[in-house]
Amino acid sequence: MSDGDLITAAAAFPPEQPEGPSKEDRAHARRNSILRVVLVGAYLFVVFGILLPRIVDYGAVLDAFRAAPPEWLVVVFLVGIAAWFTEGMALNAVLPELGVIRGTVTFLSMAAVGSTVPGPIKMAFGFRLFRGWGISIDRAALGLTINGLATQASKLILPALAVLLLTVSGTIPTWGFLLAVAIALPVALGVMVGIWIMRSEAFARRVGAFATRATDAVARRIKRPEPEDLTDRLMGFREAARAMLLDRLVPTGLSQLLARTMGYVLLLVSLRAVGVPAEVLPPAV
């Protein structure tokens, strides 16, 4: 068949166009959207309209804002924006193709979802953002996982560091050293297990087999279908995570340290803005 015949055939039989959504599909989508808005609105009303006023006096909060010096409010505003960008830098440290701006947008979006809707929905929202920006499924899932683990580990280690500094400064007795060790122990054990998984394939397979047995037991108890063997999933995650961690370990650690430090600075300037002086609450405390 000549090129002319191919062109004629293509013109005579154009490719089928995909059908658009039906009226039923559009109505179903509208109902789902309305239902989500109603559920989120009801959740916000319960939290901010019923539960939170039992703990927080909104009038006192407004009075504190009115009494705060304007220059201190500007400082809090600027430090808060800087803290947002450090969180974006932490995401960018794991996924450099993301960029600081998109990392900041992702953090703010996930924080907004996580503070209003409980559960892992914010992770799904971040994953959807990553996919929309062209990041592959594997890298998006791995980046969110590593960033989440690094963020939680850095937050969990802060109380131990605070207790250690208070003990060294003499603010609390020497038993603070034992308390600091006890607080840091779970994080240290988690890090050690993670390093061992990365270094030893045999140990990683034993962890995968143990996780499979544990999840199977839970699934049987709650009468749910047993999941598939988790060993292969863990081995795949191990290979991908090891490559990413070896490449991004130092930037990830430094960015997490910077983000947590900015959180401390934001808390400190906020306290100063509402009139808590250094004599009452020193920076070391």
Side-chain angles (χ1 to χ4, degrees):
M1 184 180 289
S2 65
D3 292 342
D5 294 334
L6 290 174
I7 294 174
T8 302
F13 302 97
E16 295 183 0
Q17 298 295 324
E19 295 182 2
S22 63
K23 289 184 178 181
E24 291 78 9
D25 293 336
R26 291 195 294 268
H28 182 68
R30 284 195 299 269
R31 285 195 298 269
N32 287 340
S33 300
I34 294 173
L35 181 60
R36 284 194 293 267
V37 171
V38 170
L39 290 177
V40 172
Y43 174 81
L44 293 176
F45 173 75
V46 171
V47 172
F48 294 100
I50 299 177
L51 299 179
L52 199 58
R54 299 176 182 271
I55 304 171
V56 178
D57 186 350
Y58 287 166
V61 173
L62 292 176
D63 292 339
F65 271 105
R66 295 191 187 100
E71 59 272 16
W72 270 110
L73 293 180
V74 173
V75 171
V76 172
F77 177 75
L78 294 177
V79 173
I81 292 178
W84 292 347
F85 279 99
T86 58
E87 296 288 354
M89 292 170 62
L91 275 166
N92 181 64
V94 180
L95 294 172
E97 65 268 34
L98 190 63
V100 176
I101 300 299
R102 287 180 173 177
T104 305
V105 171
T106 302
F107 164 74
L108 293 176
S109 302
M110 292 175 62
V113 173
S115 62
T116 54
V117 182
I121 297 178
K122 69 174 185 178
M123 300 296 288
F125 194 85
F127 180 81
R128 183 65 185 86
L129 287 176
F130 286 176
R131 293 293 295 132
W133 290 325
I135 298 176
S136 67
I137 294 176
D138 292 341
R139 282 189 64 82
L142 187 61
L144 283 172
T145 302
I146 291 179
N147 179 76
L149 292 175
T151 300
Q152 295 306 316
S154 63
K155 290 180 178 179
L156 289 173
I157 206 68
L158 284 179
L161 181 60
V163 171
L164 180 62
L165 293 176
L166 290 174
T167 306
V168 171
S169 64
T171 306
I172 61 177
T174 54
W175 51 259
F177 289 111
L178 293 177
L179 180 59
V181 172
I183 295 174
L185 187 60
V187 179
L189 290 176
V191 171
M192 291 174 61
V193 170
I195 293 175
W196 202 353
I197 288 175
M198 296 299 168
R199 292 177 61 89
S200 172
E201 180 178 346
F203 179 73
R205 291 190 177 279
R206 288 198 294 271
V207 171
F210 172 79
T212 300
R213 291 194 299 271
T215 53
D216 287 349
V218 173
R220 286 193 299 269
R221 182 171 293 273
I222 63 176
K223 298 180 179 180
R224 301 290 296 177
E226 297 180 7
E228 61 186 41
D229 191 352
L230 300 179
T231 303
D232 292 338
R233 291 187 182 183
L234 179 60
M235 297 306 296
F237 175 82
R238 171 180 176 267
E239 294 301 323
R242 183 166 60 177
M244 180 177 285
L245 285 174
L246 289 176
D247 185 41
R248 309 302 302 170
L249 181 60
V250 174
T252 299
L254 292 178
S255 63
Q256 288 292 337
L257 177 62
L258 178 61
R260 304 291 80 78
T261 302
M262 287 303 301
Y264 161 77
V265 174
L266 179 59
L267 175 62
L268 183 62
V269 297
S270 299
L271 291 171
R272 297 295 181 261
V274 297
V276 180
E279 293 79 12
V280 176
L281 194 65
V285 178

